[in-house]
Structure formats: C-alpha cells, structure tokens
Amino acid sequence: MSMLNHLSAFADRAIRAAVPAQARYAVSLIDRRTGKPHMISGIPLVLMTCEPITAAQDLMRNRDPRLWNTFIERTDAKGASQ
C-alpha cells in the first residue's frame, strides 16, 4: 500500500484536530397537554443538530404553539446530555 491510500484518513484527522468541533444539541418536540415528547412508533422524536433554533422552528412549523413546545438540550461529543 502506498501513502496515497491513507491520505484521506490523515486529512480527516488533521482537520478534526485543527478545527474545534461545533456544539451539538438535541431538540425534542413536547406535547404541552401531557408534558411528554412526541413519539413516532414508540420512539421519541429527537433531532440532533448544530443549529437548534432552526431545528426548533422546523419542528414547530404548522403546529399550534398552545399545544406544542420544543425542548433544546446541549449534548457532548458522544451525544450524552450535559
């Protein structure tokens, strides 16, 4: 194998080391009547994003704000809540 085979992996690691990681957020849609997250087939709807305000606006599009709310939570690099 030549060095060219490993060049893309090296470049990816170099970029990750040089550029600080953006903060990530978990955005959930909450039913105000029950206080529980919106579920699809028994799985809570959670969007992982670097732009939480945009994701929250997308989730609330065409929804009644009296019935729905969003919850934004910052996560660490592994996706765990902080």
Side-chain angles (χ1 to χ4, degrees):
M1 280 192 181
S2 71
M3 181 62 173
L4 293 177
N5 293 347
H6 301 287
L7 189 57
S8 64
F10 174 75
D12 181 55
R13 286 189 181 90
I15 288 172
R16 288 184 189 198
V19 177
Q22 291 181 331
R24 294 189 184 179
Y25 300 87
V27 182
S28 303
L29 184 63
I30 306 296
D31 187 340
R32 287 182 183 259
R33 296 165 289 193
T34 62
K36 295 183 179 180
H38 179 60
M39 306 280 248
I40 299 174
S41 298
I43 300 170
L45 176 64
V46 178
L47 299 179
M48 303 301 288
T49 182
C50 295
E51 299 177 0
I53 302 301
T54 304
Q57 290 171 345
D58 288 343
L59 284 173
M60 289 298 293
R61 183 176 296 132
N62 298 325
R63 295 189 193 272
D64 186 350
R66 293 174 291 164
L67 302 176
W68 297 98
N69 194 13
T70 55
F71 178 71
I72 300 172
E73 188 172 23
R74 188 177 175 142
T75 61
D76 63 11
K78 295 182 180 179
S81 300
Q82 290 184 345

